[in-house]
Amino acid sequence: MQVLAYLSFEGRCQEALDFYRDKLGASIGMVMRFKDAPPMDQPAPEGCAGGPPPDGEKVMHSELRIGDSTLMATDGMASGKPNFAGISLSLAVADAAEAQQRFDALADGGQVQMPLAKTFFSPAFGMVADRFGVQWLVVAQDPDRPLR
């Protein structure tokens, strides 16, 4: 069994995929656009967002790999208002040098909430919201206290 994060970028998914590819070395897997979906003959199930689907070029579903992890992403209903409140993604890296590199990359156009610094549990830990509002915890492995 796996738990995978599914992020809704509300209209900026392709931009986010490109950003994570360029900044974190993510590999982009399958990308399905709304124009590629079969027509829906039935109304959306109760509890699902209604209304017309987004522009056909918007991303309905995508997968990207960052290291050993898979994230899924969508444009959702392309409302232009992504909301990632109450959740963070943790990026565990090998050492402080890589932590600095990845932290700086994620901070490009984003907002640092806690600068990268040595802590009691890591040689380098920091918190940053990237340009899309996704909250990241960047943590370097402590060789004496493995995270995994």
Side-chain angles (χ1 to χ4, degrees):
M1 184 181 314
Q2 287 184 308
V3 176
L4 303 173
Y6 204 113
L7 305 174
S8 181
F9 290 96
E10 292 301 315
R12 297 179 69 191
C13 189
Q14 186 63 58
E15 181 186 352
L17 294 173
D18 295 342
F19 177 81
Y20 298 132
R21 181 196 61 221
D22 295 345
K23 300 294 186 176
L24 297 179
S27 60
I28 300 171
M30 190 258 291
V31 175
M32 181 185 294
R33 302 201 181 273
F34 280 95
K35 69 180 182 182
D36 300 325
M40 292 185 61
D41 297 332
Q42 301 175 358
E46 187 175 334
C48 290
D55 174 286
E57 290 301 320
K58 294 297 182 187
V59 176
M60 185 169 91
H61 174 77
S62 64
E63 297 174 351
L64 68 152
R65 291 201 46 89
I66 300 173
D68 295 331
S69 300
T70 300
L71 296 175
M72 295 182 285
T74 181
D75 274 313
M77 294 307 289
S79 70
K81 302 173 190 167
N83 181 6
F84 299 108
I87 190 164
S88 299
L89 299 179
S90 183
L91 185 64
V93 298
D95 56 41
E98 185 179 2
Q100 188 69 61
Q101 176 191 11
R102 303 303 184 185
F103 186 87
D104 291 345
L106 289 166
D108 182 15
Q111 182 179 13
V112 172
Q113 276 124 13
M114 179 180 163
L116 198 66
K118 183 174 175 43
T119 66
F120 70 94
F121 59 87
S122 171
F125 173 81
M127 300 185 325
V128 60
D130 67 25
R131 64 178 61 187
F132 308 101
V134 176
Q135 175 76 35
W136 291 86
L137 309 175
V138 178
V139 59
Q141 298 278 347
D142 182 337
D144 297 327
R145 292 186 192 150
L147 295 172
R148 298 180 214 172

